[in-house]
Amino acid sequence: MKRLQSKAAGLAYRALFASALALTLVAGQALAQTSNPQSVTANWGAAQDPNQAELFWGEHQAGIDTKPQHFIYFAVFDLTTSKREDVVRLFKAWTAASSRMTQGETAQPLESGLQLAVPPAPPTGEDADAAPDPGKMAADSGEALEMPAARLTITFGFGSGLFVKAGKDRFGLASRRPEALVDMPTFGAIDQISEMNSGGDLAIQACAEDPQIAFHAIRQLARLAQGVAQIRWVQLGYRPMKGDRHLLGFSAEEKNPTMNAPQAQTVWVGSEGPEWMRGGSYVVVRRVRFALEHWDSMPQAYQEQAIGETKHHARAAESASPSPSPSPENSLVEEHPAGHLSVVAQGRDAMLRRSYSYNDGVNFISERWPPWRQGLEYDAGMFFICFQHDPRTGFIEVFDEMAKRDYKLNQFWTHVASGLFAIPRGASQGEYIGQPLFEAR
Amino acid sequence: MTKVKTLILLNILLASVVLPLRADDNKSFLSTLRRQKTLTSTIPHNGDLNPYAIVVAPVSAGRIQKGDVLIDNFNALSNLQGTGTTIVSYNSASKKLTTFAELPKNNPACPGGVGLSTAMTMLKTGWVIVGSAPSTDGTTRTLGAGCLMVLDANGQLVATWSGPKIAAPWGNMATIDNGSTASLFVSMSGFDVPGPQVRDERGYPVTVKKATVLRIDLSISESKPPVITAQTIIGDGFSQRADKDVFLVGPTGLALGRDGTLYVSDALANQIDAIPDSATRTASAGTGRVVTKDGLLRRPLAMVLAPNGNLLITNAKNGQVVEIIPTTGEQLAAQWIDNNPAQYPPGNGDLFGLAMKLDGSGFYYVQDDVNSLVEATR
């Protein structure tokens, strides 16, 4: 235990150093933003120290306009309690632990053992002897000890299940469900979303420059939630160390600077939303599996047409279509729209994209598009994430168009997980995340 | 029996008369087509996929309007083949797609469960009959014998038919419909089909020559579901084979010629066969007479009779529909109706079901690659 304590002291020093560095950078960012004060991504081009700490407290939760870190661990929880006070305790515990971990500290002070958000009732009956005492467990699982803050951000979201679930108003919050927190529509041909991979009551996005730091954060928060909430589904993701090409081999964002530069009013909820959401946002997440084996067999020309971009500037595609091409006289050809980028162009600035690639190895896949294949295939693609002030005019509008018209590319991806969460505004020191919602009269 | 035969032949003759004949009846039907239009996604609210059968409603009844296009789905949301349970309906006036029927996944009277296949028809009396070739894992490892299910015109299940002559009803149905009686022609491709892991000496899944064509004669009393009066195997010995990717390959297209000959597309043999006297024969013709083989055919699937008496056949292995003269076997033309370059050759694996429009001006077909109903017209 002593050893842990001494490491914790060391961490505190590193956190202080990191915080100072972060403050310096934030000041720099503020200067940078003056040139384009409305852009929420003005600082994304600036260099960042991968070891630094990101600020936790503030008007907006971190992890939205924060320059994307290289790793993400996204977790969706279901609330297992029926008591509102348990949910409040959970967010108090999560806020406290997150404010520590983002500064490079352990989730809780190590001295007093694990303090669950809601202490369990004393065990009784035949299981009494089998129930472990949380107070005898380490307050932190320890895999992040001696590691820097690594730009960890932890962002919390509320799913519709917090407000109403299966018609039940479990926590007396139904009347406060924001209009914009709609039930997500299905997107026809591109959706293959099961109950187990969608929805959820709460979401936590942990982003960091080290995958172990991101997982550590989720792991600690899930521990604290015992008896109150349990994990429903998760997704890990990463961004390449250089550039931002996704697994289809393109870098659309890089070539379209406006793609990642929406205006502040596009991202942050303003006076149109409930008071507790002002300064917050809405996040839509989608696990999009790419049919990589099929994609890799396509001519470069097809890929470039499907995306609407050049893949290799040094090697131009030679042919526009694979042979044999149907000749005009024996073909009933229906015109299809141009590539992906032109289909989604209208909604380019309607949301802030902050996506990651994901790679879950191989799994048994029953391929959705010809050539028909069933067997072990790559389970990899994009964990698409976007923030907007209203998903009805952001993601939903854009994706509806995409699902209907993105003919060339829709055959190469399947949306297999989905979530929409209200991201409440950030907290000031001494508050907890979601406090204005839970304590509003 | 002679009376029945006369009635059936009369019916076939009448059917041929009401179809619009053109001045040059020997001209290719495909050459008259100029336009292709995607009408609707075929995915219903529950996410079922992989549209197979297409039937154009011959009458208005219940929730169905004459001319509505009924389409069934072979896959559930999981995309496992042999698990789809829905029939959707497209109304060309409103341009709306609705779910006509969502069948229970577990129907105890249907061995193996429900996975709706290309075998579907609608009778003049409003009854819809649809086949099930079910699995639980998307492969023939778990293939059940399946069944034929009878729905009323509101999409409610009213009867289920199974038995020793019914095994994975597979191909698009041909139908003789006299109102109070009817005959259905259905190919059965599930007799003793092993899982796709069982291979022959060439390394392919084992080909089993046990597929049949079954004629099911029906009696239909007013307001009562059809009753089977006879089941006759009129063709047998067709090739069937498991496939780990596309589930099952077997005789798929059935179409009645004007003289009562039933034409069968034998996918594995890459040929079209003819079974004479299909409505009246009491014994199997085996695989019948070979009408045409290879040439423009690339694993023939669904098949319909065009207004000029020629057969239209969709290819599995490219995006073409092929027209042949059934009496001579001459292959007149092939036309691309799916040129999706995301497959090689274009459209490979995209086509399946096919149905003529009621006015004979074109046909409907499905594009499996994008789960859509498409129309090809003049």
Side-chain angles (χ1 to χ4, degrees):
Chain A
M1 200 64 174
K2 263 186 177 175
R3 189 170 168 229
L4 289 174
Q5 283 170 335
S6 68
K7 284 185 176 176
L11 279 173
Y13 170 79
R14 277 188 290 277
L16 186 64
F17 174 79
S19 297
L21 182 60
L23 282 171
T24 308
L25 287 168
V26 166
Q29 290 159 16
L31 282 173
Q33 284 180 344
T34 55
S35 58
N36 184 6
Q38 290 301 305
S39 168
V40 293
T41 59
N43 72 327
W44 283 21
Q48 307 265 323
D49 179 348
N51 295 324
Q52 75 184 47
E54 297 285 347
L55 292 176
F56 178 76
W57 310 107
E59 178 191 2
H60 310 303
Q61 289 196 60
I64 301 173
D65 59 351
T66 310
K67 181 182 181 182
Q69 303 92 324
H70 285 94
F71 300 96
I72 186 172
Y73 199 114
F74 193 93
V76 177
F77 291 77
D78 278 334
L79 287 160
T80 54
T81 182
S82 58
K83 298 175 185 169
R84 180 159 155 181
E85 58 266 32
D86 286 353
V87 184
V88 171
R89 285 181 169 185
L90 177 65
F91 272 94
K92 285 180 176 174
W94 276 359
T95 302
S98 299
S99 68
R100 292 172 55 87
M101 288 189 288
T102 53
Q103 304 311 304
E105 299 176 45
T106 53
Q108 293 181 331
L110 297 178
E111 295 80 3
S112 50
L114 180 64
Q115 303 295 310
L116 297 179
V118 177
T124 57
E126 62 184 28
D127 294 331
D129 294 339
D133 176 4
K136 293 181 180 175
M137 300 175 196
D140 189 292
S141 53
E143 72 271 29
L145 290 172
E146 300 177 325
M147 295 174 77
R151 299 190 60 232
L152 173 68
T153 56
I154 301 173
T155 316
F156 295 93
F158 301 151
S160 61
L162 176 67
F163 301 90
V164 180
K165 192 160 195 172
K168 288 185 180 171
D169 181 6
R170 293 179 293 173
F171 310 111
L173 296 171
S175 63
R176 296 180 198 170
R177 177 177 174 171
E179 281 184 18
L181 188 62
V182 294
D183 293 326
M184 185 75 86
T186 56
F187 295 96
I190 58 174
D191 270 9
Q192 190 178 348
I193 294 167
S194 69
E195 180 77 14
M196 291 306 296
N197 287 332
S198 62
D201 299 338
L202 306 172
I204 306 177
Q205 172 192 271
C207 297
E209 297 293 1
D210 185 310
Q212 187 149 309
I213 296 284
F215 176 50
H216 170 261
I218 296 293
R219 185 177 170 191
Q220 309 317 304
L221 298 176
R223 285 182 88 207
L224 296 178
Q226 288 173 51
V228 182
Q230 65 186 23
I231 285 177
R232 181 184 176 93
W233 62 277
V234 303
Q235 186 58 54
L236 286 70
Y238 66 92
R239 294 171 73 97
M241 298 311 288
K242 185 177 179 186
D244 57 3
R245 287 184 187 259
H246 49 67
L247 291 179
L248 295 180
F250 288 83
S251 175
E253 295 175 3
E254 187 179 72
K255 297 177 183 65
N256 293 275
T258 57
M259 179 75 89
N260 264 336
Q263 304 299 290
Q265 62 267 28
T266 304
V267 176
W268 306 119
V269 176
S271 57
E272 78 281 4
E275 193 274 338
W276 60 270
M277 274 299 293
R278 292 172 195 167
S281 190
Y282 292 89
V283 67
V284 175
V285 296
R286 308 277 288 184
R287 179 161 68 214
V288 185
R289 183 187 160 268
F290 294 159
L292 292 176
E293 290 88 347
H294 186 194
W295 181 254
D296 291 347
S297 72
M298 295 307 296
Q300 183 181 329
Y302 181 94
Q303 295 183 348
E304 293 183 349
Q305 286 172 4
I307 298 288
E309 278 287 349
T310 302
K311 189 168 202 174
H312 302 299
H313 291 288
R315 182 190 179 281
E318 293 168 359
S319 169
S321 65
S323 60
S325 288
S327 57
E329 62 270 22
N330 67 351
S331 175
L332 301 171
V333 180
E334 194 172 26
E335 286 294 321
H336 292 291
H340 172 71
L341 290 179
S342 67
V343 172
V344 300
Q346 288 255 313
R348 189 163 291 172
D349 297 328
M351 51 197 173
L352 169 63
R353 294 159 173 83
R354 201 176 184 279
S355 302
Y356 288 77
S357 292
Y358 86 86
N359 192 336
D360 290 353
V362 293
N363 272 314
F364 178 87
I365 304 287
S366 178
E367 195 58 75
R368 197 178 168 89
W369 319 105
W372 306 111
R373 306 174 301 294
Q374 294 191 122
L376 283 181
E377 301 213 354
Y378 293 127
D379 190 351
M382 178 181 285
F383 191 52
F384 179 86
I385 303 173
C386 65
F387 295 89
Q388 61 259 280
H389 78 104
D390 190 331
R392 294 169 294 185
T393 53
F395 173 85
I396 292 171
E397 197 169 294
V398 174
F399 264 58
D400 185 55
E401 187 71 3
M402 200 187 78
K404 290 173 182 164
R405 297 182 62 234
D406 208 350
Y407 174 81
K408 293 188 181 75
L409 200 51
N410 281 347
Q411 301 173 63
F412 293 89
W413 57 26
T414 305
H415 292 226
V416 292
S418 175
L420 167 60
F421 302 93
I423 308 291
R425 73 175 187 226
S428 301
Q429 205 150 8
E431 295 178 338
Y432 63 92
I433 296 289
Q435 185 170 349
L437 167 68
F438 295 113
E439 297 185 4
R441 294 183 178 176
Chain B
M1 193 64 189
T2 309
K3 192 177 176 187
V4 172
K5 185 176 179 179
T6 307
L7 274 172
I8 291 168
L9 284 174
L10 183 63
N11 189 66
I12 293 169
L13 282 171
L14 282 172
S16 66
V17 169
V18 296
L19 290 171
L21 298 175
R22 298 192 323 278
D24 181 3
D25 207 31
N26 289 324
K27 190 180 172 187
S28 158
F29 176 78
L30 291 178
S31 66
T32 66
L33 304 179
R34 292 287 178 269
R35 291 185 298 125
Q36 178 200 45
K37 185 180 180 187
T38 299
L39 300 175
T40 180
S41 161
T42 54
I43 300 175
H45 65 92
N46 72 348
D48 274 7
L49 295 166
N50 206 0
Y52 264 26
I54 307 180
V55 168
V56 181
V59 294
S60 295
R63 287 163 44 204
I64 300 173
Q65 296 296 309
K66 184 178 179 180
D68 282 359
V69 187
L70 302 177
I71 308 132
D72 71 14
N73 287 297
F74 191 49
N75 299 12
L77 176 66
S78 63
N79 204 30
L80 296 179
Q81 295 169 93
T83 60
T85 58
T86 50
I87 302 172
V88 294
S89 174
Y90 174 77
N91 181 274
S92 55
S94 67
K95 297 184 169 47
K96 291 273 173 60
L97 185 82
T98 55
T99 301
F100 167 68
E102 184 168 2
L103 293 161
K105 176 67 198 154
N106 297 307
N107 176 352
C110 191
V114 173
L116 300 184
S117 72
T118 321
M120 184 163 71
T121 191
M122 181 180 178
L123 301 177
K124 294 173 187 169
T125 39
W127 305 103
V128 174
I129 298 161
V130 64
S132 168
S135 84
T136 56
D137 69 350
T139 77
T140 53
R141 247 188 229 109
T142 58
L143 178 68
C147 62
L148 290 160
M149 289 171 283
V150 184
L151 315 181
D152 66 20
N154 290 311
Q156 297 301 305
L157 178 66
V158 295
T160 302
W161 300 330
S162 61
K165 292 180 180 174
I166 294 175
W170 188 244
N172 70 284
M173 262 191 229
T175 307
I176 298 172
D177 189 355
N178 303 308
S180 60
T181 62
S183 293
L184 313 179
F185 298 87
V186 192
S187 65
M188 302 291 173
S189 296
F191 291 109
D192 301 325
V193 176
Q197 77 282 4
V198 181
R199 300 294 172 126
D200 62 17
E201 63 277 5
R202 301 171 305 153
Y204 289 97
V206 174
T207 296
V208 182
K209 296 194 172 182
K210 289 188 177 181
T212 66
V213 175
L214 183 68
R215 186 182 74 233
I216 302 173
D217 297 320
L218 303 177
S219 168
I220 306 147
S221 304
E222 195 170 345
S223 301
K224 288 185 180 171
V227 174
I228 296 176
T229 55
Q231 296 184 52
T232 309
I233 295 171
I234 63 165
D236 70 317
F238 294 99
S239 297
Q240 53 187 11
R241 189 173 86 188
D243 188 295
K244 80 178 181 63
D245 296 320
V246 301
F247 193 69
L248 184 60
V249 184
T252 305
L254 299 175
L256 273 166
R258 290 170 176 171
D259 62 355
T261 298
L262 182 75
Y263 296 95
V264 182
S265 71
D266 186 337
L268 282 169
N270 201 36
Q271 66 189 33
I272 308 301
D273 299 325
I275 298 175
D277 306 320
S278 62
T280 55
R281 64 181 313 118
T282 55
S284 171
T287 56
R289 171 180 61 87
V290 177
V291 175
T292 185
K293 183 177 174 66
D294 297 335
L296 297 169
L297 298 175
R298 297 285 188 278
R299 187 171 285 182
L301 294 178
M303 182 162 60
V304 293
L305 196 71
N308 62 357
N310 290 344
L311 294 169
L312 305 179
I313 307 137
T314 53
N315 275 339
K317 288 189 165 291
N318 66 23
Q320 289 187 324
V321 59
V322 178
E323 179 172 358
I324 67 166
I325 300 173
T327 49
T328 64
E330 182 186 352
Q331 299 187 0
L332 279 182
Q335 188 158 44
W336 293 94
I337 55 174
D338 184 319
N339 63 350
N340 187 346
Q343 290 89 45
Y344 187 87
N348 183 356
D350 295 354
L351 302 178
F352 213 118
L354 182 69
M356 288 303 301
K357 298 184 72 174
L358 287 183
D359 64 4
S361 63
F363 56 79
Y364 298 108
Y365 61 103
V366 290
Q367 289 186 330
D368 282 355
D369 51 335
V370 285
N371 290 281
S372 295
L373 174 69
V374 187
E375 176 187 60
T377 56
R378 291 171 191 153

